[in-house]
Amino acid sequence: MARSRANDYDDKRQAILDRSAELFSAHGYDRASMNKIAEACGVSKANLYHYYKDKEGLLFDVIRFHLEELLEVVETADDPGAPPEARLRGLIAALLEAYRDADSQHNVQISSMRFLPHERQTELKRMERDLVTIFSSAVVGVAPHLKGTKMLTPVTMSLFGMVNWHYLWFRSTGSVSRAEYADLVTRLIVDGARNVLKQPSKTSKRTAAAE
């Protein structure tokens, strides 16, 4: 007869995932043993195995649950019928808010996905592409001339570059709030994307030649 799950199974599993994410982020996935994970989680090794048979499964779920949450937040915030700039700003703000208190999970996603087998990486990267697709659509909204061009992906990934790495320097007690940073990223993308692929004016060419 299969062993029944305790009523608090999901809560305990989530606690294990959160502590494992902190451990992987701080010390590296490759240096974390199941013994160290169990110690960090405050459970016995036998109890840890009740939830995960190996640390690969732990790593996969840390990243999977993180990406699922990001997708849910972004999909809920997306409003294709809104003015293009407002739509983009709403998506950026939602993603930044979803990253709140998730620095460890985000760092693990960036640094440790490579340790997973190819098929598991493929599943997670599909979720990442779903996020990129939503943001690419919003970028096209503010810069329609980029649709179908080779520059749409670089512009979209530049947006992710500004948002995904903010955790390295951003402080909640700093001089810039999340809302203000969302405004800044939106302005940089909107102003920059609208000028990508545009030909310089004749005046600009003459000025450059004179210099």
Side-chain angles (χ1 to χ4, degrees):
M1 182 175 180
R3 180 178 177 182
S4 61
R5 289 184 173 182
N7 292 332
D8 59 352
Y9 178 90
D10 289 339
D11 290 339
K12 288 183 176 179
R13 181 183 64 175
Q14 189 58 57
I16 288 172
L17 290 173
D18 290 344
R19 289 296 294 124
S20 297
E22 293 170 2
L23 183 66
F24 295 159
S25 178
H27 303 288
Y29 168 78
D30 53 333
R31 290 190 290 275
S33 65
M34 290 296 276
N35 282 330
K36 289 182 179 179
I37 295 169
E39 182 180 352
C41 294
V43 299
S44 68
K45 192 173 180 181
N47 189 252
L48 178 61
Y49 279 124
H50 176 58
Y51 293 89
Y52 288 97
K53 65 178 182 179
D54 54 39
K55 67 175 187 174
E56 179 190 302
L58 264 168
L59 175 61
F60 178 71
D61 271 2
V62 165
I63 301 174
R64 179 171 66 90
F65 287 175
H66 178 57
L67 288 173
E68 285 178 350
E69 182 176 355
L70 296 184
L71 270 170
E72 181 179 356
V73 168
V74 167
E75 288 172 347
T76 300
D78 191 19
D79 182 7
E85 188 169 331
R87 179 193 181 193
L88 180 63
R89 198 271 177 198
L91 287 172
I92 293 171
L95 189 59
L96 283 170
E97 189 60 36
Y99 283 153
R100 186 190 295 272
D101 300 324
D103 287 352
S104 294
Q105 290 83 351
H106 183 53
N107 185 30
V108 171
Q109 175 201 344
I110 292 172
S111 65
S112 300
M113 188 187 296
R114 60 192 174 91
F115 292 109
L116 290 169
H118 175 73
E119 61 275 11
R120 285 193 151 181
Q121 288 191 46
T122 298
E123 181 176 345
L124 297 175
K125 288 177 180 179
R126 176 187 55 76
M127 299 169 70
E128 290 180 333
R129 285 196 298 272
D130 289 342
L131 279 170
V132 172
T133 296
I134 294 171
F135 277 86
S136 291
S137 175
V139 169
V140 167
V142 298
H145 64 289
L146 293 184
K147 185 175 183 179
T149 72
K150 66 179 183 180
M151 295 307 296
L152 177 57
T153 296
V155 170
T156 304
M157 297 315 294
S158 294
L159 186 161
F160 278 103
M162 286 187 279
V163 175
N164 284 355
W165 295 97
H166 85 287
Y167 77 98
L168 293 175
W169 61 267
F170 183 86
R171 297 293 179 271
S172 59
T173 56
S175 59
V176 178
S177 68
R178 288 179 187 273
E180 289 171 330
Y181 188 56
D183 290 338
L184 173 61
V185 174
T186 301
R187 178 53 47 206
L188 289 172
I189 291 297
V190 169
D191 290 349
R194 286 175 176 168
N195 287 290
V196 171
L197 296 181
K198 287 188 176 180
Q199 295 296 321
S201 66
K202 292 182 179 180
T203 301
S204 298
K205 288 181 179 179
R206 286 197 296 268
T207 301
E211 293 176 352

